[in-house]
Amino acid sequence: MRALVLTILFTLFASLPAMAGPTAYDFPLTGIDGKPMPLAQFRGHPMLIVNTASECGYTGQYEDLEKLWLAYGKKGLIVIGVPSNDFGGQEPGSATEIAQFCKVNYGVTFPLADKTVVKGKNADPFYKWAGDQAGALGRPKWNFHKYLIGADGRFIDWFASPTKPMSPKITAAVDKALAAR
């Protein structure tokens, strides 16, 4: 009888993924408007979180990020742009300038965070957590590095800067994340 009870308890606790550590929902960002942007507000929605820059060779990806947002946002995907000046000083502007640039040049309507440190010892806690989840190869090496987070707040995958937001690799992963919710 005791063995049966222990087996049942072990099975129950082993199947509780929520106890496996923090999720993306445990981390807040700051919105481009300076207001808190807790990732927990997006609970139940997969998220594509992308460190961005206005003066980068990949800046044109804003267009595809907006297309992804328009195509998949209605299905539940949240796209979040996270401006960062960490790579080549390619995001020198203020929050107001960044927001204006994104709106005027790319019609961005998806949420934007305030300028954020995404690498090194001073990286934002979300980026430290996501980097740990992704491993050394999955940490941002340049602008437009992408993290896909599941509807449960768990890390799913990362995509390097050259991977375009509307690429089959990303859209297939997004489709799978949306189907799993």
Side-chain angles (χ1 to χ4, degrees):
M1 179 69 165
R2 180 180 162 163
L4 178 61
V5 170
L6 289 175
T7 301
I8 292 170
L9 286 174
F10 176 77
T11 303
L12 285 172
F13 285 112
S15 66
L16 293 175
M19 298 181 79
T23 70
Y25 299 140
D26 294 312
F27 302 99
L29 294 174
T30 300
I32 196 101
D33 59 3
K35 296 178 182 172
M37 183 194 293
L39 294 179
Q41 73 180 314
F42 304 117
R43 188 175 304 279
H45 297 272
M47 296 179 280
L48 187 70
I49 301 176
V50 185
N51 65 294
T52 61
S54 299
E55 298 178 3
C56 176
Y58 294 116
T59 300
Q61 286 189 21
Y62 270 124
E63 184 175 340
D64 263 5
L65 287 170
E66 182 66 14
K67 285 179 185 175
L68 190 72
W69 168 246
L70 293 175
Y72 287 89
K74 298 173 195 122
K75 298 176 184 179
L77 177 69
I78 304 297
V79 175
I80 301 173
V82 182
S84 179
N85 200 38
D86 290 358
F87 303 102
Q90 295 180 344
E91 189 57 274
S94 68
T96 302
E97 291 167 333
I98 294 166
Q100 177 85 7
F101 173 85
C102 291
K103 183 70 173 165
V104 168
N105 293 291
Y106 296 99
V108 167
T109 60
F110 56 83
L112 292 171
D114 200 2
K115 199 182 308 186
T116 302
V117 175
V118 302
K119 71 172 191 163
K121 65 178 180 161
N122 295 323
D124 178 86
F126 166 79
Y127 273 90
K128 286 182 181 179
W129 171 81
D132 288 346
Q133 301 298 303
L137 291 177
R139 289 185 172 89
K141 308 283 187 286
W142 201 249
N143 304 307
F144 290 87
H145 183 91
K146 301 147 194 82
Y147 285 125
L148 182 61
I149 306 299
D152 60 358
R154 303 240 174 259
F155 176 86
I156 293 178
D157 206 351
W158 63 274
F159 305 94
S161 302
T163 309
K164 294 180 180 180
M166 291 298 291
S167 71
K169 184 175 183 178
I170 291 181
T171 58
V174 167
D175 283 333
K176 186 175 178 180
L178 287 166
R181 48 179 253 180

